[in-house]
Amino acid sequence: VNEGPVTRISEAEIIGNKAFTELKLKQELPNFVGREYSRARARNGVQKLAEFYANEGYFDARITYTIVELTPDNKDGATDDLVKIVYNVETEGKKVFINRILINGNERTERDAVFRVISLKEGNLLKIVDIAGSEQNLYATGAFRRVEIKSEPAGATVSGDSQRDVIINLEEEKQ
């Protein structure tokens, strides 16, 4: 069995971005130039870019990728095949702000106690890191056996940005 030449990543390119420079977005990508190509590496880049956009308030950003096969530069005798990963920011969406925070299932726990431990605030940007952190903080109190935080569209701000209501569903621990 002859496996053939190794396919290596020669470079990454980002297109369709408007809110952030290509340089800024490339800093968010894992360093995979020169490494063997795999779909998992390319998908990891999509995940990192989507996570970056979500943490900057662009909750609806959608990123895809394509692979471009390059002609190998055989000047140095290299026999590896080369590819370029092109990340396409199909849509950045609008920034998403928190309209209201609705809490369900807190029978014994005061509403204000929940608000004290979450980092989500009405009027702030909706960031994935704040959702995850708030969920962890609620679990860390030991008061809840189940925590679910989700968001639903709630119109737009006066400036045209998106708004979402954040719904926190809680199931308290049994006493």
Side-chain angles (χ1 to χ4, degrees):
V1 174
N2 182 2
E3 291 186 16
V6 174
T7 301
R8 297 203 179 274
I9 302 167
S10 120
E11 64 178 301
E13 180 182 354
I14 301 171
I15 60 174
N17 51 303
K18 292 180 179 52
F20 305 100
T21 66
E22 183 177 15
L23 178 63
K24 176 64 182 159
L25 293 175
K26 279 185 173 181
Q27 291 171 347
E28 300 302 318
L29 291 173
N31 184 13
F32 47 54
V33 172
R35 300 192 60 190
E36 286 185 33
Y37 165 75
S38 71
R39 285 190 300 274
R41 277 201 174 97
R43 283 192 305 261
N44 188 29
V46 168
Q47 182 180 356
K48 294 288 186 188
L49 291 172
E51 192 175 283
F52 170 76
Y53 269 96
N55 283 329
E56 293 296 322
Y58 293 88
F59 210 72
D60 298 319
R62 194 171 67 242
I63 294 124
T64 59
Y65 74 93
T66 56
I67 302 302
V68 178
E69 293 183 29
L70 303 174
T71 307
D73 179 4
N74 288 325
K75 292 178 195 169
D76 59 0
T79 57
D80 293 346
D81 289 339
L82 298 174
V83 294
K84 172 170 68 171
I85 303 175
V86 179
Y87 291 101
N88 181 17
V89 181
E90 291 183 2
T91 179
E92 291 176 324
K94 297 179 178 180
K95 284 193 171 190
V96 177
F97 289 87
I98 299 170
N99 181 44
R100 295 179 301 167
I101 298 174
L102 308 170
I103 302 169
N104 301 313
N106 57 318
E107 295 170 16
R108 293 184 307 278
T109 308
E110 293 288 329
R111 190 176 190 304
D112 287 343
V114 172
F115 277 111
R116 278 194 298 276
V117 298
I118 63 172
S119 53
L120 299 161
K121 307 288 181 227
E122 292 178 2
N124 283 2
L125 281 174
L126 180 59
K127 298 180 181 183
I128 201 83
V129 70
D130 289 339
I131 291 173
S134 294
E135 190 172 286
Q136 286 178 336
N137 292 347
L138 286 165
Y139 275 121
T141 66
F144 306 103
R145 73 167 42 196
R146 189 178 66 79
V147 176
E148 176 192 47
I149 301 177
K150 60 184 180 177
S151 68
E152 292 183 358
T157 64
V158 177
S159 62
D161 289 316
S162 295
Q163 288 188 124
R164 290 205 180 170
D165 287 338
V166 173
I167 297 112
I168 302 174
N169 293 314
L170 303 169
E171 185 178 326
E172 294 176 319
E173 286 287 352
K174 296 191 186 325
Q175 282 188 331

